[in-house]
Amino acid sequence: MKHKRQISNILRKTIIISLIIVISILFSSCGSYFEAVGNIAESPTLPSKTPRPSVTPTQTEQPSESVEPTETPTESVTPTEEPSATIDPSLVLAVNPLTGKSEYMHEFALDVKPVAIILENKRQSLPQAGISEADIVIEMLVEYDISRFMAIYQDPYNVEKIGAVRSLRSYFTEMALAFDSYIFHYGFSEYGEENAKKDLADRGLTTINGIFGEDNGYPFWRDSDRIASGMESVHCVVTAGQNVLRSMQNISTEKIEKTEQKNIFNFSTQSSTKEGNDANKVYLTGIYISSPYFIYDNNKSEYTRYQFADKHIDGNSGEAISVENLFLLKMDTRYLGDASEHVAITTYGSGSGYYINDGKYIEIQWSRETDSSEFEFTYNNEPLQVAQGNSWISCIPTDADITIR
């Protein structure tokens, strides 16, 4: 029994030793494996097969620094905005002979006469439309103490609406000839001595008369908005720039061609009023029933016109009329003694008046050889220097009282 036990112990030890040897061998093999794996993970040969992680941040940082170049095009928005105010290709930059200023005008307007349109000024006809866009406005009495306007445009062809258009007087024809203009009107006077119809026939002049619409391409219409407001039909006749253009283009060249290519006034960058007296307010309140007056706006270097105790508004823009040059010309004016108190005005010969500009006024002389010739204006026996810009000309009776201060 003892012998068997010894043998059993030897076998057990042998098995244990064998197991230890096997485990040692296995452990040694695993250690080599893990060492090999570790070497692979740390191997310097891997970067040759895959990009270094540090390269990627370097490449992505450079585009972030290139944001400034991409912002530069955003600054180019300024040049691209300017073309949004693109000048109509049909317009040409030229000096307007009625204002002395360089303006974009319809090419057709460069070689033809200015257009003179007769406009009503009764209170119930207001507001006029398009009058503020005229280069020159001439105001004259027509009956009682009611005035009427002749609005003269070198280029009226883009004006939205012009009106209310009324009938012609012979002295307006004479003033239109002084400014070499072609007349648009709706009817004419036939009041004995004051007979614009006969005057036109005697002179051999043609005009665009709305009464004879079929002969003139129908440039006029009765404005529905005015009619809806309750205005009398006689105060609702209007036209538009494109209508005027079509009518002018249908007239023979010899009738609308300019007599001379020159400025209406002796324009200068500095007017003769630099030597004048203050003219911040100009009152014509005792002459016309509308009691007009002008107030100088020092910020704009313009005179704002008032009448009927309020600003004189243009119906197209809703804004007050303003002018850079104001002329008050004293002319012989007499009432004809008829029931409607029509007047006759002598527009030629010579006379005195006032020229007002830039907050100053001077006394001037005007002269005109015939009722169809141009005006000459002088100051101290020298040609009057007129500022560039639009003009308002009020033809007033020789005995009229005016106030300038």
Side-chain angles (χ1 to χ4, degrees), residues 273 279 282 303 324-326 328 354-357 360-361 404:
T273 60
V282 180
Y303 286 88
E324 290 156 291
N325 298 305
L326 176 58
L328 309 179
Y354 300 93
Y355 170 54
I356 305 163
N357 166 260
K360 300 285 185 179
Y361 81 94
I404 304 177

Side-chain angles (χ1 to χ4, degrees), residues 73-378:
T74 64
E75 295 176 0
S76 69
V77 170
T78 301
T80 58
E81 284 178 349
E82 290 183 3
S84 64
T86 304
I87 300 299
D88 186 333
S90 67
L91 303 182
V92 178
L93 183 63
V95 175
N96 184 335
L98 302 184
T99 67
K101 290 185 174 181
S102 293
E103 304 172 10
Y104 282 97
M105 296 186 290
H106 196 289
E107 188 172 7
F108 179 78
L110 302 182
D111 299 316
V112 299
K113 295 177 183 290
V115 172
I117 303 178
I118 307 300
L119 301 178
E120 179 63 280
N121 193 39
K122 285 185 178 180
R123 190 167 195 162
Q124 56 267 41
S125 71
L126 303 180
Q128 289 101 4
I131 188 171
S132 65
E133 297 177 72
D135 300 311
I136 298 173
V137 176
I138 298 174
E139 181 173 27
M140 307 180 86
L141 285 169
V142 287
E143 56 198 33
Y144 297 106
D145 48 3
I146 299 169
S147 66
R148 192 166 289 182
F149 304 134
M150 181 167 69
I152 306 178
Y153 309 77
Q154 184 60 52
D155 180 5
Y157 306 123
N158 287 324
V159 181
E160 175 189 356
K161 186 186 296 183
I162 304 172
V165 182
R166 285 304 311 270
S167 63
L168 179 67
R169 301 289 188 269
S170 60
Y171 42 85
F172 274 123
T173 299
E174 295 171 4
M175 294 298 285
L177 291 172
F179 295 95
D180 194 25
S181 304
Y182 199 87
I183 306 170
F184 281 62
H185 59 108
Y186 201 90
F188 33 45
S189 60
E190 297 180 81
Y191 311 120
E193 186 178 343
E194 173 39 52
N195 193 320
K197 179 180 180 180
K198 182 177 183 302
D199 181 61
L200 289 175
D202 290 346
R203 294 176 187 274
L205 290 177
T206 60
T207 63
I208 300 295
N209 184 356
I211 296 295
F212 308 120
E214 65 277 8
D215 297 330
N216 301 308
Y218 295 99
F220 305 101
W221 77 93
R222 296 193 187 272
D223 186 60
S224 58
D225 291 337
R226 286 177 168 261
I227 294 173
S229 70
M231 283 190 187
E232 294 180 60
S233 176
V234 70
H235 300 316
C236 296
V237 177
V238 298
T239 187
Q242 288 299 307
N243 295 34
V244 173
L245 176 60
R246 286 194 295 271
S247 291
M248 289 288 283
Q249 289 174 331
N250 288 329
I251 302 172
S252 60
T253 303
E254 65 271 13
K255 292 181 179 180
I256 61 172
E257 190 174 30
K258 285 183 181 178
T259 303
E260 291 185 76
Q261 295 285 346
K262 67 175 187 177
N263 289 336
I264 289 296
F265 299 112
N266 179 33
F267 289 113
S268 174
T269 54
Q270 189 172 35
S271 75
S272 297
T273 60
K274 62 182 182 293
E275 303 173 7
N277 300 314
D278 289 344
N280 294 310
K281 296 180 180 179
V282 180
Y283 294 90
L284 307 179
T285 52
I287 303 172
Y288 310 117
I289 194 172
S290 58
S291 297
Y293 60 97
F294 299 81
I295 296 181
Y296 184 61
D297 186 331
N298 191 61
N299 294 326
K300 296 181 179 179
S301 298
E302 296 175 341
Y303 286 88
T304 301
R305 179 179 160 86
Y306 293 74
Q307 65 171 10
F308 297 111
D310 203 351
K311 286 184 176 180
H312 190 171
I313 300 299
D314 185 310
N316 284 353
S317 65
E319 298 180 357
I321 296 169
S322 60
V323 295
E324 290 156 291
N325 298 305
L326 176 58
F327 291 84
L328 309 179
L329 303 183
K330 294 184 177 182
M331 295 180 173
D332 181 56
T333 303
R334 59 189 177 86
Y335 285 89
L336 299 179
D338 59 4
S340 297
E341 292 292 328
H342 292 106
V343 301
I345 301 175
T346 303
T347 67
Y348 61 97
S350 61
S352 62
Y354 300 93
Y355 170 54
I356 305 163
N357 166 260
D358 200 22
K360 300 285 185 179
Y361 81 94
I362 54 176
E363 188 168 353
I364 63 172
Q365 301 295 317
W366 65 266
S367 62
R368 193 178 179 214
E369 291 184 2
T370 69
D371 61 7
S372 60
S373 58
E374 63 186 32
F375 279 96
E376 291 186 7
F377 300 99
T378 58

Side-chain angles (χ1 to χ4, degrees), residues 374-392:
E374 63 186 32
F375 279 96
E376 291 186 7
F377 300 99
T378 58
Y379 170 63
N380 287 341
N381 297 317
E382 296 291 334
L384 178 69
Q385 293 182 323
V386 178
Q388 296 172 344
N390 63 341
S391 298
W392 189 284

